[in-house]
Amino acid sequence: MADGYALLDTPAPQAAPAPLSHKDEQARLLALEAQYCSHGDTVHYTQFPKIFSGCEGSFMFDDEGNRFLDLQMWYSAVNFGYANPRLNNALKRQIDTLPQVASQYLHREKIELAALIARDAEAKFGEKGRVHFNVGGAQAVEDSLKLVRNASNGKSLMFAFEGGYHGRTLGASAITSSYRYRRRFGHFGERAHFIPFPYHFRGPKGMSKEEYGEHCVQQFARLFESEYNGVWDPKTGQAEYAAFYVEPLQGTGGYVIPPKNFFIGLKKVLDDHGILMVVDEIQMGFYRTGKLWSIEHFGVTPDVIVFGKAVTNGLNPLSGIWAKEKLINPTIFPPGSTHSTFNANPLGTAVALEAMKMMAEDDYETMVMAKGAYFLRGLEELKRRHKIVGDVDGLGMALRIEICEPHDSYTPSKRLVDLMCDEGMKADLETDGKRYGLVLDIGGYHKNVITLAPALTMSHAEIDLAIKLLDQLFARVANA
């Protein structure tokens, strides 16, 4: 009888709930996100965040099957295309062999990756150096700050550029020019002394780009003319500042490209006064500009290079610094000087090692410079066609479009850029009978610049598609 009663009490099987429609599922996820996710990251710069579910090559996909041509590739972290088979397979192999190891131990991939980067730097710059790994770009910047403060006997003051961006950790925020990244977190007593970058489009009229570059160097050099400018003691030949943090091309600042002569003049001033040059290659490294390091275009030897992002194609967090031997050798920068549980993690180093081998096997310099020049010609044609385009420029596959009010093609127009990003997310731009969306990123001093960092593997046909879609988008927002 007991068994019989048990059978009577057993509830009838319930049918599985019907799957939600794409629209309802998106609404469910966004409701959860609104309640449980921090808004402290960059997602909520837009009113209606987009949920993506797939990616391949130069494209992102949503649940409804819409294709979005991505022209910013995760802030230049995915230089070699989404779901790159060769790099994905390197990650899978490592997961099946040595997926984890504490950073107090060694593994082959870390050693070989460091050797590749250091030997390449020695061949290019004529300087022996060493490589030190971490996880994210800002963390590598923090490590570099320790390195230069240690090498300068504790000097804690730095120079950096107006428009420069080096991350949002506390130390990196202090050398990033935007006050909004520091405002909520108290006084930064050791924030950098910010120096104008030669931003020719918005510089003084009547100067060539090269003349403006020389002018900016001369203005910086004036700081050392007298002790009363507050940075230099001529009696002892000592500067109060330890290093100058530079992005060869400004990233978040709007992909501003300096004149070729600028860094040669700047480096001479720094060398004359015992100040180190730390080059931030986090966004521009790994052939974004057609060179492994963008500083190679400008004829100077850095003292420190900071890198991250594309070293793993965005697959697993890894960053690091290369520094001259005199700054990083074990007698001056001993074990324990910095630490992160996940630095030099084997998944990251394995993918990065494969990426470095891949870059060495093909002529990325020629390929990227040719594609970038082709893309830039298309942007120049758009500038001729649309009054809202004030300026276009590029170096390799780092390209910029400065959006302005149409009455003068100069007044910055953040409103039009914001509208462009929103319209690109609608996935209703049509060409050749197909509908597309556009993934764009905003930068610039006035937040009116579209910064383009497409996949280096992008085809010429995809570049043509990008120009067609941008053409439509410009016309749409101008008419709005």
Side-chain angles (χ1 to χ4, degrees), residues 80 86-87 109 112-121 124 131 133 285-287 292-293 307 310-313 318 348-362 364:
F80 310 105
R86 178 170 174 178
L87 299 179
E109 293 77 16
E112 291 191 350
L113 176 62
L116 270 180
I117 294 171
R119 287 171 176 168
D120 178 85
K124 288 172 177 172
V131 175
F133 293 110
F286 305 102
Y287 287 99
L292 182 69
W293 308 121
F307 60 85
V311 67
T312 65
N313 206 41
L318 188 76
T349 52
V351 177
L353 182 61
E354 191 69 20
M356 291 294 293
K357 291 177 180 177
M358 186 176 72
M359 287 179 258
E361 290 168 6
D362 291 319
Y364 271 85

Side-chain angles (χ1 to χ4, degrees), residues 42-53:
T42 56
V43 172
H44 291 276
Y45 285 168
T46 55
Q47 185 177 359
F48 303 106
K50 183 70 179 176
I51 299 175
F52 286 110
S53 58

Side-chain angles (χ1 to χ4, degrees), residues 375-450:
F375 207 141
L376 184 57
R377 288 195 294 272
L379 297 181
E380 288 167 344
E381 178 59 30
L382 292 180
K383 181 177 182 294
R384 287 188 284 269
R385 289 167 47 82
H386 297 278
K387 291 183 179 179
I388 65 171
V389 181
D391 182 56
V392 297
D393 202 357
L395 184 60
M397 291 286 267
L399 302 132
R400 72 189 309 271
I401 311 169
E402 183 139 355
I403 303 299
C404 303
E405 293 294 337
H407 72 276
D408 63 357
S409 301
Y410 185 76
T411 301
S413 186
K414 183 179 184 299
R415 70 176 183 90
L416 287 176
V417 170
D418 288 342
L419 181 59
M420 289 175 63
C421 289
D422 290 341
E423 290 295 316
M425 285 291 103
K426 291 181 178 179
D428 62 353
L429 299 167
E430 295 190 21
T431 182
D432 299 326
K434 296 180 181 179
R435 291 160 64 94
Y436 296 92
L438 270 179
V439 177
L440 303 173
D441 196 32
I442 299 173
Y445 290 37
H446 305 282
K447 296 298 176 228
N448 71 309
V449 178
I450 300 170

Side-chain angles (χ1 to χ4, degrees), residues 159-179:
F159 290 110
F161 281 121
E162 295 174 4
Y165 178 88
H166 302 286
R168 300 188 203 184
T169 54
L170 285 174
S173 294
I175 56 173
T176 292
S177 66
S178 300
Y179 171 52

Side-chain angles (χ1 to χ4, degrees), residues 192-212:
H193 184 340
F194 296 107
I195 304 298
F197 193 83
Y199 182 4
H200 185 244
F201 180 67
R202 300 216 171 268
K205 302 306 174 187
M207 288 186 183
S208 69
K209 191 171 184 176
E210 289 70 26
E211 288 171 339
Y212 186 39

Side-chain angles (χ1 to χ4, degrees), residues 29-168:
L29 290 172
L30 289 175
L32 288 173
E33 195 271 346
Q35 186 173 1
Y36 296 113
C37 292
S38 164
H39 287 202
D41 56 24
T42 56
V43 172
H44 291 276
Y45 285 168
T46 55
Q47 185 177 359
F48 303 106
K50 183 70 179 176
I51 299 175
F52 286 110
S53 58
C55 58
E56 184 179 11
S58 294
F59 292 91
M60 300 287 291
F61 310 101
D62 65 16
D63 280 337
E64 297 177 351
N66 294 312
R67 294 167 60 86
F68 295 78
L69 181 62
D70 193 338
L71 298 181
Q72 61 99 28
M73 299 305 286
W74 203 358
Y75 322 120
S76 190
V78 191
N79 286 6
F80 310 105
Y82 288 117
N84 182 290
R86 178 170 174 178
L87 299 179
N88 282 10
N89 286 334
L91 183 64
K92 293 171 187 175
R93 287 194 303 271
Q94 193 66 26
I95 285 177
D96 290 333
T97 54
L98 182 69
Q100 294 132 321
V101 62
S103 56
Q104 73 190 81
Y105 306 114
L106 290 171
H107 58 283
R108 178 184 64 83
E109 293 77 16
K110 170 189 175 178
I111 297 168
E112 291 191 350
L113 176 62
L116 270 180
I117 294 171
R119 287 171 176 168
D120 178 85
E122 187 169 1
K124 288 172 177 172
F125 303 124
E127 289 278 352
K128 184 184 184 307
R130 296 173 187 256
V131 175
H132 175 102
F133 293 110
N134 208 310
V135 182
Q139 288 77 16
V141 169
E142 295 283 345
D143 288 351
S144 73
L145 285 166
K146 279 190 171 183
L147 188 82
V148 298
R149 288 175 68 152
N150 178 66
S152 61
N153 297 314
K155 290 180 183 177
S156 59
L157 297 180
M158 310 292 160
F159 290 110
F161 281 121
E162 295 174 4
Y165 178 88
H166 302 286
R168 300 188 203 184

Side-chain angles (χ1 to χ4, degrees), residues 199-265:
Y199 182 4
H200 185 244
F201 180 67
R202 300 216 171 268
K205 302 306 174 187
M207 288 186 183
S208 69
K209 191 171 184 176
E210 289 70 26
E211 288 171 339
Y212 186 39
E214 291 175 2
H215 170 76
C216 288
V217 170
Q218 290 167 4
Q219 290 300 106
F220 176 62
R222 286 188 65 247
L223 294 176
F224 303 90
E225 288 181 353
S226 163
E227 66 180 276
Y228 297 103
N229 289 328
V231 303
W232 176 247
D233 181 356
K235 292 185 177 180
T236 62
Q238 288 285 317
E240 192 174 11
Y241 287 73
F244 199 137
Y245 276 74
V246 309
E247 295 170 283
L249 277 67
Q250 293 201 311
T252 302
Y255 284 26
V256 182
I257 303 170
K260 287 292 183 71
N261 61 332
F262 174 67
F263 280 112
I264 293 174

